[in-house]
Amino acid sequence: KYTQYAADKDVQSLLMKLADQRIDALEYGRTLIEVGRHFGEILLRELEGKSVYLVCTTEDADYLAKGIVDKLNADSVNFSLACYWNTRTQPFEGLDIKTAPIVKKYEEPRYDKDVLVVLKSIIHGGCVVKYNLLNIIEKIHPERILIMAPVMFHTAADELMKDFNEEINRKFKFITFAVDNDEDGAGNVVPGIGGNIYKRLGFKDQDDKNKFVPNLVKQRRRLFA
């Protein structure tokens, strides 16, 4: 189901492309960058001149986040970046309890930003988003928190809000292009973003993804060197 943010037919076309299992990793990554640029345009309207702290995961940094950063840089927006390497686990066999601890992180020290943006390629149960939010939120104390993902599972927003108090929940705004209510036997949202993001981008698995340092992080590090 498309949301109000996907009224643009180009956005709908990009989502259909992501869901297409036939495109290779290179084209898949390019498509995510274009989706990120559309998010960047939305974000510029939401910010209204305010500063932003952008949080992403390592697999999203060179794709969705890059698309947003391109727009922020073009508009000379005051922003900082954090990138997290998460490891998703289900520690107790037979119990539906999932964790996503941060095993490595890149955080820029300029925390005094008005708006916190947490970006994810897809939000299913919200586990990764929760861990990343918990890590950064006390350092920033933002006026608003924007949760951005191309696709969200229909229960994701409610699940995420259960983990935070009313004061934090009032700051939340969820910005997504589509909401899905189906999943396959492997736990992937259908049609979602076309399966497992790691494999679609050419990584072998989660461990392989966590060995990778995104180009965006390398570029931003040089700014603070």
Side-chain angles (χ1 to χ4, degrees):
K1 181 181 178 182
Y2 293 122
T3 71
Q4 60 178 317
Y5 300 105
D8 188 331
K9 294 296 182 183
D10 287 342
V11 172
Q12 296 180 23
S13 178
L14 289 168
L15 291 181
M16 290 176 65
K17 199 169 185 179
L18 290 177
D20 187 348
Q21 299 283 341
R22 296 168 297 180
I23 65 172
D24 62 18
L26 184 61
E27 186 63 20
Y28 188 81
R30 287 173 178 164
T31 305
L32 282 171
I33 292 172
E34 288 303 314
V35 172
R37 288 178 179 143
H38 281 280
F39 269 138
E41 292 172 0
I42 294 170
L43 182 55
L44 289 175
R45 295 195 294 270
E46 290 284 336
L47 289 176
E48 297 179 335
K50 293 183 180 293
S51 59
V52 62
Y53 203 105
L54 178 63
V55 175
C56 67
T57 57
T58 183
E59 67 271 18
D60 291 327
D62 285 341
Y63 304 101
L64 275 179
K66 172 180 165 43
I68 290 180
V69 167
D70 286 348
K71 291 291 183 179
L72 296 180
N73 282 330
D75 214 60
S76 300
V77 172
N78 176 5
F79 79 96
S80 294
L81 176 77
C83 179
Y84 298 135
W85 287 251
N86 299 86
T87 296
R88 298 180 62 178
T89 64
Q90 190 164 347
F92 305 107
E93 188 176 348
L95 294 178
D96 189 24
I97 299 175
K98 297 180 177 65
T99 65
I102 296 167
V103 295
K104 186 165 58 174
K105 63 184 176 180
Y106 167 78
E107 277 182 13
E108 292 175 359
R110 298 169 184 169
Y111 297 110
D112 55 338
K113 300 295 185 283
D114 303 311
V115 179
L116 174 62
V117 174
V118 181
L119 181 67
K120 190 75 176 65
S121 51
I122 188 163
I123 303 178
H124 189 177
C127 186
V128 171
V129 172
K130 179 184 78 171
Y131 273 78
N132 293 351
L133 257 174
L134 288 170
N135 181 78
I136 196 72
I137 197 167
E138 292 300 326
K139 301 172 187 175
I140 297 178
H141 303 290
E143 297 172 8
R144 302 174 65 207
I145 302 169
L146 306 182
I147 310 295
M148 306 184 82
V151 181
M152 292 179 60
F153 197 57
H154 68 114
T155 58
D158 289 339
E159 288 297 319
L160 185 61
M161 293 177 73
K162 287 178 183 176
D163 293 311
F164 295 91
N165 61 36
E166 186 177 346
E167 180 184 357
I168 298 298
N169 285 340
R170 283 198 298 267
K171 298 182 180 184
F172 280 155
K173 183 173 183 177
F174 294 90
I175 299 177
T176 185
F177 293 133
V179 175
D180 290 341
N181 62 0
D182 196 11
E183 55 186 323
D184 63 20
N188 296 310
V189 176
V190 178
I193 53 171
N196 184 299
I197 181 78
Y198 311 146
K199 294 181 179 178
R200 293 304 307 271
L201 287 172
F203 296 109
K204 295 177 183 177
D205 52 26
Q206 182 172 235
D207 291 337
D208 187 36
K209 176 267 298 185
N210 280 341
K211 296 174 185 175
F212 175 70
V213 179
N215 288 325
L216 179 61
V217 170
K218 294 176 182 177
Q219 292 163 5
R220 297 290 298 180
R221 273 178 178 165
R222 286 195 287 269
L223 295 177
F224 293 91

